[in-house]
Amino acid sequence: QFKIQGAKKDFYTFEKKGQVKIQQMAFMIIAVTIFLFLAILFYLAIYVQSIAQDSNEQRERKSLMNAEIFAASPEFTCGESCIDTDRVILIKNRSVYKDFWPYASIELRRVYPLGNGKECSFSNYPDCDTYTLVDKKVKSIRKVSHFVSLCRKVDSGASIERVCELGKIVLGVEIKNGG
């Protein structure tokens, strides 16, 4: 009987070692699974961030290409790369145009001759420098600009003449953060 008990004792020891090895393997499988999950999560975070960055760059390129097209739109144009400020001042305060263009901000600035830096309105036109058509007050914005002629008609007594000044159109594009 003594030998049988000893054999049983070795059998239990063997069984306990097997359970420990199974537990070790289960913990390793769980650890590897958690590590793979975190690695995939890290990869996806970087991937989503790069998609957002590519989207913002694409939006900026599109708005830069559209700046010249925007200046030639029927609402503003008085010729090639020429913006009629008489039309702009009429459109400026119309709420219909606030959501008409897909930009976070649209601004026209007189560059030369230098003026007083005032925002244009009906009361101070044409003695002003900046026409803000759209300002959606977004948190993050990137602006692109294009030089244009800012022209208006002036009554010189005998005839009506077109007076042009150097200006630029500034289009603001909202930057969306990824993640």
Side-chain angles (χ1 to χ4, degrees):
Q1 267 186 346
F2 186 73
K3 286 185 177 181
I4 296 174
Q5 286 178 351
K8 254 184 173 179
K9 189 175 181 185
D10 288 338
F11 180 72
Y12 288 134
T13 305
F14 179 73
E15 188 176 295
K16 286 181 184 179
K17 284 182 183 178
Q19 285 179 343
V20 170
K21 288 190 180 222
I22 290 172
Q23 286 177 348
Q24 285 177 344
M25 185 182 298
F27 286 133
M28 283 303 294
I29 290 172
I30 290 171
V32 168
T33 304
I34 290 173
F35 174 75
L36 288 176
F37 176 74
L38 290 175
I40 290 171
L41 194 63
F42 181 73
Y43 172 76
L44 287 176
I46 290 174
Y47 183 72
V48 166
Q49 185 178 8
S50 75
I51 287 175
Q53 184 178 0
D54 290 346
S55 171
N56 289 333
E57 288 173 3
Q58 179 69 22
R59 201 175 295 121
E60 182 180 354
R61 280 193 301 268
K62 181 180 175 185
S63 65
L64 188 58
M65 290 182 339
N66 286 341
E68 190 170 337
I69 295 169
F70 183 84
S73 69
E75 287 85 0
F76 302 120
T77 190
C78 60
E80 190 175 327
S81 290
C82 170
I83 294 179
D84 187 348
T85 56
D86 294 330
R87 290 183 186 181
V88 171
I89 202 70
L90 292 173
I91 288 175
K92 182 179 175 198
N93 295 321
R94 300 209 42 195
S95 61
V96 175
Y97 287 100
K98 295 294 181 201
D99 295 321
F100 184 69
W101 294 290
Y103 300 105
S105 71
I106 301 172
E107 205 174 274
L108 298 170
R109 295 181 192 156
R110 180 170 58 174
V111 176
Y112 185 81
L114 293 176
N116 52 19
K118 291 183 182 177
E119 176 69 28
C120 295
S121 65
F122 283 116
S123 60
N124 65 357
Y125 179 74
D127 298 321
C128 56
D129 290 332
T130 305
Y131 304 83
T132 303
L133 298 174
V134 175
D135 188 9
K136 294 183 181 174
K137 307 234 185 268
V138 295
K139 192 187 314 183
S140 183
I141 192 168
R142 185 174 292 153
K143 295 185 176 185
V144 294
S145 62
H146 180 71
F147 285 100
V148 293
S149 296
L150 299 177
C151 300
R152 67 180 187 279
K153 293 184 179 169
V154 176
D155 187 1
S156 64
S159 66
I160 296 177
E161 298 175 357
R162 187 181 346 181
V163 175
C164 294
E165 301 163 329
L166 180 62
K168 68 178 175 176
I169 185 167
V170 182
L171 301 176
V173 181
E174 182 178 8
I175 302 301
K176 300 196 179 187
N177 296 327

